[in-house]
Amino acid sequence: DDGSREGLVLGCGCRETKYVAHLSCMARFARRSVEIDDLSVRGVLLGGAIDRWTYCPVCQDEYTGHVLLAMAWQYLRTCSTLNVDDSYRQAAMIILGTAKFMTGAVEEAKADLEYAEDRLNELRDDEEDAIRFDVELPLACAREMLDRCAETLRLDEDLHAAHVRIRILEGRLESAGLDAS
């Protein structure tokens, strides 16, 4: 505890154990727990170690909502402060885009995911980078989330159009002197 007034959060399924923590402590734990396992910097960011940024260490449930969003930001910040290859930052962008999608920021999620997809495609097309990185899995994740964003945005547009039609019909009924209910 650094004396800050940061609140405690519960972003997983630890209902019985009453596991709560500061977000900054959760992020610090994610980074340190990987380092303690004596994994390389790449292990901090990808592979099985990525779960430490997205899953609770106590109950193994995936973080949700704003806790996942905050951890995704911390993950991206960690990628930016360490000297890592660009593919790892793009994996962090995919997690951030997914978290934004899950918290309702679909347009922002779409922008983040499109950026990550474009950058991963560039890495894949670069022969030297293609040898160093396996970008197909992150690309597949980005494309899946982009499809979800597109579907959500399409459904939002359809819903809005339906509400407009209902209001028009209600207005016609009122002008005809009929009760809309």
Side-chain angles (χ1 to χ4, degrees):
D1 185 22
D2 62 2
S4 72
R5 301 184 59 67
E6 180 182 3
L8 297 173
V9 296
L10 173 65
C12 59
C14 288
R15 309 269 185 267
E16 310 235 348
T17 61
K18 297 180 180 21
Y19 177 74
V20 295
H22 298 107
L23 283 170
S24 61
C25 294
M26 293 165 65
R28 200 168 31 249
F29 174 79
R31 185 171 176 166
R32 285 187 182 155
S33 67
V34 174
E35 292 168 352
I36 288 169
D37 287 344
D38 197 32
L39 297 172
S40 68
V41 168
R42 291 180 183 186
V44 173
L45 304 171
L46 283 179
I50 200 171
D51 291 349
R52 299 206 176 111
W53 295 95
T54 57
Y55 286 84
C56 172
V58 177
C59 70
Q60 306 305 313
D61 277 357
E62 187 172 14
Y63 293 130
T64 58
H66 287 73
V67 172
L68 177 61
L69 184 60
M71 289 297 285
W73 274 114
Q74 291 296 322
Y75 177 60
L76 182 59
R77 187 172 294 126
T78 298
C79 289
S80 298
T81 59
L82 297 175
N83 185 23
V84 296
D85 299 309
D86 196 35
S87 62
Y88 301 106
R89 283 187 287 279
Q90 300 321 311
M93 286 294 290
I94 293 167
I95 292 172
L96 181 60
T98 301
K100 286 181 177 180
F101 176 82
M102 293 173 72
T103 56
V106 180
E107 290 285 348
E108 289 180 38
K110 185 174 181 272
D112 289 346
L113 291 163
E114 286 172 343
Y115 174 82
E117 179 186 37
D118 289 345
R119 189 65 191 111
L120 286 167
N121 278 322
E122 290 172 14
L123 290 171
R124 184 184 60 191
D125 294 342
D126 182 325
E127 211 171 290
E128 184 178 318
D129 285 335
I131 293 168
R132 288 189 294 167
F133 307 121
D134 178 13
V135 298
E136 294 307 318
L137 180 60
L139 267 173
C141 293
R143 289 180 181 137
E144 179 184 340
M145 286 309 302
L146 280 168
D147 289 345
R148 289 183 184 184
C149 288
E151 178 67 11
T152 300
L153 292 170
R154 187 189 63 74
L155 290 172
D156 285 348
E157 288 173 8
D158 290 350
L159 185 60
H160 176 73
H163 283 166
V164 168
R165 285 193 298 275
I166 289 170
R167 288 188 187 124
I168 291 170
L169 290 173
E170 287 174 343
R172 287 182 185 162
L173 289 173
E174 284 179 15
S175 64
L178 300 173
D179 184 12
S181 50

